[in-house]
Amino acid sequence: MRQRSLTALALAAAVAVGTAGCTVERHWGGSTTTAGSGKAKIGLVTKTDTNPYFVELRNSASAAAKANGADFSALAGQFDGDNDGQVRAIENLTQQGVNTILITPSSSTGVLKAIKDARDAGILVIALDTATEPADAVDATFATDNFAAGQQQGAYVKAALAGTDPKLLMVDGTAGSSVDTERHGGFLKGIGLTDSSPEIKGHTAANGDQSLAQQGMENLLQRTTDINAVYSMNEPMGRGAYAALKARGLTGQVVMGSIDGGCEGVQNVKDGLYGATVMQFPKKMAEQGVLAAVQYAKTGKKPSGFVNTGSTVITDKPMPGVPSQNTAWGLQNCWGGTK
Amino acid sequence: MTTATVNGNRERESLGEFLLRAPAVGPALALIVAIVVFSLATDTFFDLDNLSTVVQQSLVVGTLALGQTLIILIAGIDLSNASSMVVATLVMAKLAAAGSNGFFALVVGVILTVVVGLFIGTLATRIKLPAFIITLGTFTGLTAVAKLIAGGQAVPVTDGLLQWLGTKRYLFGGIPITYGMTLALIMFLIVWYALTKTAWGKHVYAVGNAPESARLSGIKVNRTVISVYVVAGVCFGIAAWQALGRTPNADPNQFQLGNLDSITAVVLGGTSLFGGRGSVLGTLFGALVVAVLRSGLTQMGVDGNYQDLATGALLIVAVVVDRIARRQQQS
């Protein structure tokens, strides 16, 4: 009996420590050797390690490092917004003697001090996917121009409306996040509106959560169903918004655009849930970051500034004046999922 | 409705005593006030279709909150109910996608949430760990499991049975009623009956009020606690079914705050976080109040942050009322 309680207690302790107390950032293989000059030692710090977007980024960086004979290790925060985990990851990588850190900052300002310390230690720091604020807190940024991506989405929706005045509902992400602000602003520029335009019939913020997007959209549609355009800040929220539109039988009269380019999202476009999505390219960010690191290790030359890794409209209903690719191309170049 | 005893004569009972006797009255009033206000403030809120939609919006959190009510009644708490539910939606969706029978997938999903409940109940009783700590652990672990199962990708569901609660509907006096609403109502009635009319229900309240006295009076406390977590597990499994009916798409990033939303509904419903006092009827109103606030404020064009602010303020009011009621009971 006593034996059994002890086993159970140990099990409980393991559960409590292993799951609740997971304050350790996760580590995904890699080498910690410090010797040898001219050889790139690259550390990657992503926001999380389960989001398919960051999985793609990590796998691409790992493959590129391997192809270029560089050492590679990847760490991640525990959740989106885990600045503390990212700071610890940067400190650990600095301790391990890497010469380049590639980071997708959880917050544009939250990890700046750790980045400065790393750069003071002579480490090249490149932001991937998300810019820091100020942008020159890192040596260079390889990322999607989210404003441009939003603008492409807006331009597509405008073209698809074919001259009809937009009657728009907007499903935003997390209020105040830079990605959300840029995509939102870009979309409005692309469609030719401003935040105070009467053409905007309502907006809701859904934190990237599909079920919240659906609820918010249902409530907006109760206010008015006289709409013809929907903006969704990413694809899961696009799916939620679609469910609400479908329940109202409005899918035929509405042009919806989204952004991300996940395989699921491209499939949604193919299946007709939304007219178009705008794809971003995490693989390019990772590969270009690794190549810059390799060059830095060899020559000491650092990249600088903002490098736009591009975004492409994916649709099966191309519009004049809006360059795009079809979903077959999209499914070959999408991230996450099985290709 | 509760086992709380009221001293003195009924004519002279204080507001606190009245609320103790009927904890669902406060939330019912709040609900009525909110509906009246939004009906006057907008042209669109008071509409049978919209009222039906609001109820549908509260189904998942409401079903989670039904299980949570039982757990909070025994002075426990479950932080992992939404993550357990999300894992169940993913398991159901994956099984269906792999060609399994929808009924089989549903049963497996419900068994899963029941097993989680059994696990929590066992740790809570055998090792005497606080439910908060156990479920904090299962919450974190199950969130990771959900993401691992999904590989980050949402899993679309096409199986008819898994979507049945959301897609099948009928008209009742002009109001569109989904099978999901019907099922939720039946579940509320069953739990209400079990809590108020059976020995098990009396044991639940007794354990929540004073576990030691309950034990001394011959109630099998551990068995009651485990049974509560198991019954709640059934609710969470059904909530997963409700969720697939709402959105036929299992996504690991959904319901990130479902655990807190369910606690909000329970507390708004007048159930005391200290256990032993409360009702499922109150929880029903609590869940509806949140959905009504969101719907009405959105239709008024109020920013989402102010909606959260309103919900938070209401929550604090509910806790304060609970405190005052307790104090008056003691004095």
Side-chain angles (χ1 to χ4, degrees), chain A residues 24-338:
Chain A
V24 216
E25 71 280 2
R26 294 97 188 269
H27 193 273
W28 296 88
S31 147
T32 56
T33 51
T34 53
S37 69
K39 184 176 185 186
K41 284 183 282 293
I42 304 166
L44 173 71
V45 184
T46 49
K47 294 186 192 183
T48 68
D49 56 16
T50 48
N51 181 323
Y53 185 85
F54 297 119
V55 171
E56 176 91 10
L57 197 73
R58 184 178 75 223
N59 291 346
S60 305
S62 172
K66 200 173 169 193
N68 287 283
D71 284 341
F72 178 79
S73 60
L75 304 173
Q78 210 202 329
F79 52 88
D80 208 334
D82 183 10
N83 294 332
D84 182 54
Q86 289 204 324
V87 167
R88 267 181 285 118
I90 294 170
E91 288 165 354
N92 287 345
L93 289 169
T94 308
Q95 191 66 27
Q96 287 170 24
V98 299
N99 41 33
T100 298
I101 291 176
L102 307 173
I103 179 167
T104 61
S106 259
S107 129
S108 55
T109 53
V111 293
L112 292 191
K113 187 188 170 294
I115 288 177
K116 182 176 182 301
D117 291 346
R119 289 180 75 191
D120 288 347
I123 295 171
L124 168 67
V125 180
I126 297 173
L128 299 183
D129 177 66
T130 308
T132 54
E133 214 172 306
D136 64 4
V138 290
D139 290 288
T141 304
F142 297 171
T144 307
D145 182 338
N146 279 305
F147 190 87
Q151 202 173 348
Q152 284 166 286
Q153 187 194 351
Y156 178 88
V157 171
K158 185 177 185 183
L161 289 175
T164 318
D165 278 343
K167 286 174 257 180
L168 174 69
L169 293 182
M170 303 188 79
V171 182
D172 292 314
T174 310
S177 95
S178 58
V179 172
D180 184 64
T181 310
E182 286 164 20
R183 290 183 184 179
H184 178 103
F187 180 88
L188 289 180
K189 178 151 191 242
I191 200 171
L193 301 174
T194 66
D195 266 313
S196 52
S197 299
E199 287 88 347
I200 301 175
K201 302 298 178 193
H203 62 92
T204 184
N207 299 337
D209 182 321
Q210 175 183 312
S211 63
L212 289 181
Q214 181 177 349
Q215 277 189 24
M217 195 67 182
E218 283 169 350
N219 295 339
L220 289 174
L221 289 176
Q222 181 61 27
R223 205 171 154 195
T224 175
T225 53
D226 182 23
I227 59 160
N228 57 18
V230 170
Y231 159 83
S232 73
M233 181 267 188
N234 72 9
E235 287 161 357
M237 294 196 298
R239 288 191 278 278
Y242 175 81
L245 289 169
K246 194 178 170 202
R248 287 267 182 173
L250 296 171
T251 53
Q253 70 180 57
V254 169
V255 185
M256 176 156 66
S258 197
I259 305 187
D260 247 356
C263 293
E264 172 95 13
V266 174
Q267 187 65 42
N268 292 156
V269 174
K270 193 177 175 187
D271 296 341
L273 269 65
Y274 15 92
T277 193
V278 182
M279 181 179 283
Q280 7 175 30
F281 300 96
K283 188 164 180 251
K284 272 193 203 167
M285 299 170 197
E287 286 172 352
Q288 293 182 15
V290 168
L291 289 179
V294 169
Q295 194 190 29
Y296 172 63
K298 274 189 191 144
T299 65
K301 184 171 175 292
K302 291 183 176 182
S304 65
F306 183 91
V307 179
N308 182 7
T309 47
S311 46
T312 299
V313 176
I314 306 291
T315 180
D316 286 333
K317 296 174 203 149
M319 293 293 153
V322 184
S324 64
Q325 297 283 355
N326 63 18
T327 54
W329 186 92
L331 285 173
Q332 276 177 359
N333 292 279
C334 63
W335 45 266
T338 44

Side-chain angles (χ1 to χ4, degrees), chain B residues 53-115:
Chain B
T53 304
V54 169
V55 175
Q56 289 173 49
Q57 290 177 344
S58 61
L59 282 182
V60 178
V61 167
T63 311
L64 285 175
L66 182 63
Q68 188 77 269
T69 308
L70 293 171
I71 293 171
I72 290 180
L73 278 177
I74 57 161
I77 195 123
D78 192 347
L79 298 176
S80 65
N81 58 357
S83 44
S84 163
M85 173 196 82
V86 168
V87 170
T89 61
L90 285 161
V91 167
M92 290 176 191
K94 282 264 178 181
L95 282 174
S100 127
N101 175 296
F103 182 73
F104 175 77
L106 179 61
V107 170
V108 172
V110 175
I111 288 176
L112 196 141
T113 53
V114 168
V115 167

Side-chain angles (χ1 to χ4, degrees), chain A residues 5 8-9 11-12 15-16 19-20 22 50-52 78 175 203-204 207-211 214-216 218-220 222-223 236 239-240 243 248 263-264 335-337, chain B residues 44-45 47 49-50 53 57 119 123 127 129 133 136-138 140-141 147-148 151-154 156 246-247 249 251 253-256 294-295 298-301 303 305:
Chain A
S5 318
L9 187 62
L11 182 73
V15 168
T19 58
C22 40
T50 48
N51 181 323
Q78 210 202 329
H203 62 92
T204 184
N207 299 337
D209 182 321
Q210 175 183 312
S211 63
Q214 181 177 349
Q215 277 189 24
E218 283 169 350
N219 295 339
L220 289 174
Q222 181 61 27
R223 205 171 154 195
R239 288 191 278 278
R248 287 267 182 173
C263 293
E264 172 95 13
W335 45 266
Chain B
T44 52
F45 183 83
D47 169 284
D49 277 326
N50 185 51
T53 304
Q57 290 177 344
F119 174 77
L123 281 186
I127 324 283
L129 288 172
I133 298 298
L136 184 62
T138 44
T140 314
K147 290 183 176 173
L148 289 170
Q153 289 292 99
R246 279 279 295 160
T247 316
N249 202 319
D251 186 329
N253 295 317
Q254 281 192 105
F255 299 102
Q256 296 166 5
R294 293 229 167 260
S295 176
T298 304
Q299 285 170 48
M300 287 175 70
D303 185 88
N305 289 323

Side-chain angles (χ1 to χ4, degrees), chain B residues 206-220:
Chain B
V207 168
N209 262 324
E212 189 56 21
S213 327
R215 192 183 63 79
L216 291 173
S217 62
I219 294 172
K220 293 194 167 63

